[in-house]
Amino acid sequence: MESTALFSTTFRPPSLHLRSRHLSKHLPPTTPFPLLRSSPPSFTTTTPYLTTTSKPSFKPISASSSSSSTPITQPTQPTQSQGAKLLPLTLSISTGLLLRFLIPKPLTITPQAWNLLSIFLSTITGLVLSPLPVGAWAFLGLTTTILTKTLTFSTAFSAFTNEVIWLIVISFFFARGFVKTGLGDRIATYFVKWLGKSTLGLSYGLTLSETLIAPAMPSTTARAGGVFLPIIKSLASSGGSLPNDPSAKKLGAYLVQSQFQCAGNSSALFLTAAAQNLLCLKLAEELGLVIASPWLAWFKAASLPALVSLLLTPYILYKIYPPETKDTPDAPAMAEKRLQAMGPVTTNEWIMIGTMLLAVSLWVFGDAIGIPSVVTAMLGLSVLLLLGVLEWNDCLSEKSAWDTLAWFAVLVGMASQLTNLGIVTWMSNCVANFLQSFSLSWPAAFGVLQAAYFFIHYMFASQTGHVGALYSAFLAMHLAAGVPSVLAALALAYNTNLFGAQTHYSSGQAAVYFGAGYVELPDVFRIGFIMACINAVIWSVVGGIWWKFLGLY
C-alpha cells in the first residue's frame, strides 16, 4: 500500500434544500412515488475517496451554473413544455372550489374564514401534487388571497417579517460555512480516527460527530450531503463496497442506513439542529403557547430519549441489517492521513468554530440577557461576512434559502390567519368531540394523534411542508383533547424529525442517502418502518418517564 493513499473528496456542495427530490432516475418503473415533490441538492463525489490529496472544493451554486463537464457552446437541448402541469393544476384548484361552493359553511365560521380555508386547501393540495415548483405555487396562493380580498396586502405579506422564518434562512448560510471551510469534514474525520477500528465503532464515530455538529449546522440535508455521505462513500469504496453492486452490503449499506436513521434523533436533540424545529415552536406560539427558554426546554425534554436512541440505533441495525465486513482496521490510519493532508486548522475554520460557539451560547442564554434567537443568527452571519468566511455571493447563490423564505412565509401566514379567524379551533373541537365519543382519556388521545401525525408522513416528502400543513391543526386537537400543552407541542416537534427516515422521499437527507446507491428500495421501507416502531417505543417509554420527572404532565 502506498503511503500517499489519502481519503478526501471533491463534491458539489448542497443547495441545502430541506425537501426531498423526485428520484425517478434512481427507481424502477414500479416504484411508488411521493406525492409532494421538490428538488434536493445535487452532489458529485469522486470515488474512491482515498486517492487524492485535495481538500473538498466548494463551488457556489448560482442560477446560471452548469455542469463542469458541459461546454458552454453546447447546443441548447429541447426543453419540456413550460408552465403548470394541467392535471395537478386542475385537481389542486378543484379541491378548493369544492370546499368553497359545494360543502355547506358551518354557522360558526365567517365567509372570510371559509374562503381562506378553501385557498389554503388548494395551496396544500398543490404542494402535494406539484403543478408548479413549491415557491411558485405558494406565491399563486398568496396572490389569490389578495385578489379575492380574503386578506389585505399587508396581512398577506405579514409573515415575511417573521423572526423564525429569517432564522431558518440564516441557518442555510451557517450550513454553507461548515461545508465551505471544511470544518464539518475535519470533525467527522477525527471521530473516524478515534472510533473506526470496527464497522460498529465507525458507525458510532460518525453518529457522535453528527450529534456534535448538529446544533450549529441546522440543516440535515447539508450535514448528509456536505459532510457524511462523502466520508461514508470513501470508507465503503476503500473496503471494496461499491454502490449499485452486490458488494454494497459489505459496508456501505450499513453505514448509510445507520447514519440515516440516527440523523432524526440528532436533529430532535437540539432546537437549532433542524429548521423545522424552529417552525414548530413558532406555530405553537401562534396558538398562544410560548415556551420559556426554548433552547434549554427543548434540549432537556429531548436529551434522555434522543441519547438512548442514538446509542441503540447503530447496534440494533448492526443486528437486523448486519454488514458483511465487521472490522475496519485501516480506517483510523486513513483518517490520520486525511487529517495530515488537511493540514492544521485554518483561520476560517477557527472563525467558524468561534462563531458557532458564540451562536450556540447565545441561543442557550440569550433569553436571559434579552437577545432573541434571530438576532444571534444575524450577529453570527455578520461575523462570517466581515471576516470573509462567507461572501455575499455565497448568500445570494443559496437559492434554497430564498425559496424557503417565500413558501414558508406563505404557509405560516395562512396558518396564522386561519387560527385568528377561528378555523383551527373549530377543526380541533370537531376532532376532539369525535375522540371523546369513544371516551378516550387524554393519554389515549395523545397516542392516537401522535401516531396519526407520524404515519401520515408517508404522504409527504417534506418535513417542513408537513409542519406547515398539519402541525397547528394537530396541536390544537391535542389541546382540545386535554393533553398538556407543552408536552403536546414538543412531542409533535420531535416526531417531525423522527419521521424523516421512514422512506427514500421523506426528507432531504433521505434523498441524499438513497441516491448514493448503497441501499435497495425494499430495505429502505422495511428498515424505515422497523426503526420507526423502535423509536416510538424508546420515545414513549424513556421519554414518558423522563417527561413525568420534568413535570411536563
Side-chain angles (χ1 to χ4, degrees):
M1 180 182 297
E2 294 181 1
S3 61
T4 56
L6 305 169
F7 78 102
S8 60
T9 188
T10 302
F11 57 89
R12 180 175 298 168
S15 57
L16 311 184
H17 279 233
L18 295 175
R19 305 181 301 280
S20 291
R21 173 184 218 167
H22 184 70
L23 297 170
S24 57
K25 66 180 180 180
H26 299 295
L27 308 179
T30 57
T31 298
F33 287 88
L35 296 180
L36 179 58
R37 302 181 177 94
S38 53
S39 299
S42 60
F43 304 96
T44 304
T45 306
T46 59
T47 54
Y49 187 67
L50 308 172
T51 59
T52 175
T53 59
S54 62
K55 292 187 69 174
S57 62
F58 183 89
K59 300 177 182 178
I61 304 298
S62 65
S64 61
S65 63
S66 59
S67 173
S68 59
S69 62
T70 304
I72 296 176
T73 57
Q74 182 179 3
T76 303
Q77 298 295 324
T79 58
Q80 297 179 349
S81 58
Q82 302 297 308
K85 301 171 188 175
L86 184 58
L87 181 59
L89 176 67
T90 302
L91 292 174
S92 300
I93 295 176
S94 299
T95 302
L97 293 177
L98 280 172
L99 176 70
R100 173 64 181 81
F101 294 106
L102 296 184
I103 298 179
K105 179 182 71 64
L107 295 177
T108 57
I109 301 299
T110 65
Q112 179 191 10
W114 200 245
N115 286 344
L116 182 58
L117 180 60
S118 66
I119 297 170
F120 183 74
L121 185 60
S122 282
T123 303
I124 294 300
T125 306
L127 295 181
V128 172
L129 300 179
S130 298
L132 286 171
V134 173
W137 184 251
F139 184 78
L140 262 63
L142 186 70
T143 302
T144 304
T145 64
I146 300 172
L147 187 65
T148 58
K149 299 183 178 180
T150 303
L151 298 175
T152 64
F153 183 90
S154 59
T155 302
F157 278 85
S158 60
F160 281 83
T161 60
N162 186 292
E163 292 183 1
V164 171
I165 293 175
W166 279 100
L167 180 57
I168 293 170
V169 170
I170 296 173
S171 75
F172 283 93
F173 305 146
F174 282 172
R176 172 162 286 225
F178 264 89
V179 175
K180 183 176 180 179
T181 61
L183 178 60
D185 185 24
R186 184 184 295 274
I187 292 172
T189 304
Y190 269 113
F191 278 95
V192 171
K193 174 185 173 182
W194 296 331
L195 299 173
K197 290 185 178 180
S198 68
T199 301
L200 184 60
L202 194 59
S203 175
Y204 275 111
L206 294 171
T207 297
L208 291 172
S209 62
E210 173 154 4
T211 304
L212 179 64
I213 293 171
M217 193 176 185
S219 170
T220 50
T221 309
R223 297 198 299 268
V227 177
F228 293 101
L229 182 60
I231 293 176
I232 289 172
K233 292 183 73 173
S234 160
L235 293 166
S237 62
S238 69
S241 181
L242 303 177
N244 302 307
D245 187 83
S247 65
K249 292 189 176 180
K250 280 187 175 182
L251 182 61
Y254 167 74
L255 290 179
V256 165
Q257 279 282 26
S258 178
Q259 198 69 14
F260 179 33
Q261 294 298 330
C262 287
N265 285 289
S266 60
S267 296
L269 183 56
F270 303 102
L271 175 61
T272 52
Q276 63 266 15
N277 297 347
L278 301 161
L279 182 61
C280 287
L281 291 197
K282 180 59 182 178
L283 292 175
E285 185 179 327
E286 298 288 347
L287 292 176
L289 175 58
V290 179
I291 299 176
S293 301
W295 204 98
L296 283 175
W298 179 290
F299 176 75
K300 282 196 300 184
S303 57
L304 191 59
L307 290 173
V308 170
S309 288
L310 285 168
L311 289 173
L312 291 179
T313 296
Y315 181 76
I316 292 171
L317 286 170
Y318 193 78
K319 293 298 183 181
I320 67 174
Y321 192 70
E324 296 174 5
T325 300
K326 307 296 184 182
D327 298 312
T328 55
D330 295 334
M334 292 188 294
E336 176 64 32
K337 292 177 181 178
R338 171 59 181 153
L339 290 169
Q340 291 175 4
M342 287 181 174
V345 179
T346 65
T347 301
N348 282 352
E349 287 178 277
W350 280 120
I351 294 171
M352 196 74 204
I353 291 171
T355 303
M356 290 301 97
L357 289 176
L358 173 64
V360 171
S361 298
L362 289 178
W363 279 329
V364 173
F365 303 109
D367 284 352
I369 58 177
I371 300 179
S373 296
V374 68
V375 176
T376 296
M378 293 170 65
L379 176 61
L381 178 59
S382 297
V383 171
L384 296 179
L385 290 170
L386 282 170
L387 299 180
V389 176
L390 287 175
E391 298 177 359
W392 186 239
N393 280 338
D394 294 328
C395 299
L396 292 177
S397 62
E398 198 60 62
K399 294 186 293 183
S400 58
W402 305 113
D403 182 52
T404 299
L405 170 65
W407 74 278
F408 265 22
V410 173
L411 284 182
V412 171
M414 286 189 182
S416 176
Q417 292 304 313
L418 286 172
T419 301
N420 293 340
L421 294 171
I423 287 290
V424 173
T425 301
W426 168 73
M427 293 176 63
S428 63
N429 286 336
C430 290
V431 174
N433 292 334
F434 175 76
L435 293 176
Q436 289 172 359
S437 68
F438 291 94
S439 300
L440 295 179
S441 61
W442 77 255
F446 174 76
V448 170
L449 291 172
Q450 290 288 331
Y453 181 78
F454 190 98
F455 286 107
I456 203 173
H457 192 65
Y458 278 107
M459 301 294 291
F460 283 87
S462 167
Q463 290 167 292
T464 46
H466 188 140
V467 170
L470 299 177
Y471 182 87
S472 294
F474 268 83
L475 178 55
M477 293 175 201
H478 278 75
L479 299 181
V483 180
S485 57
V486 175
L487 174 65
L490 291 178
L492 286 172
Y494 297 149
N495 267 334
T496 300
N497 292 286
L498 298 178
F499 60 45
Q502 281 179 320
T503 68
H504 63 297
Y505 59 81
S506 55
S507 59
Q509 70 268 25
V512 171
Y513 284 127
F514 177 73
Y518 281 98
V519 182
E520 296 179 354
L521 190 62
D523 289 333
V524 174
F525 278 88
R526 179 174 64 88
I527 298 299
F529 180 78
I530 292 172
M531 292 308 302
C533 295
I534 291 173
N535 275 317
V537 171
I538 293 173
W539 282 77
S540 297
V541 176
V542 178
I545 296 172
W546 180 238
W547 297 333
K548 179 67 174 178
F549 174 77
L550 293 177
L552 295 184
Y553 67 95

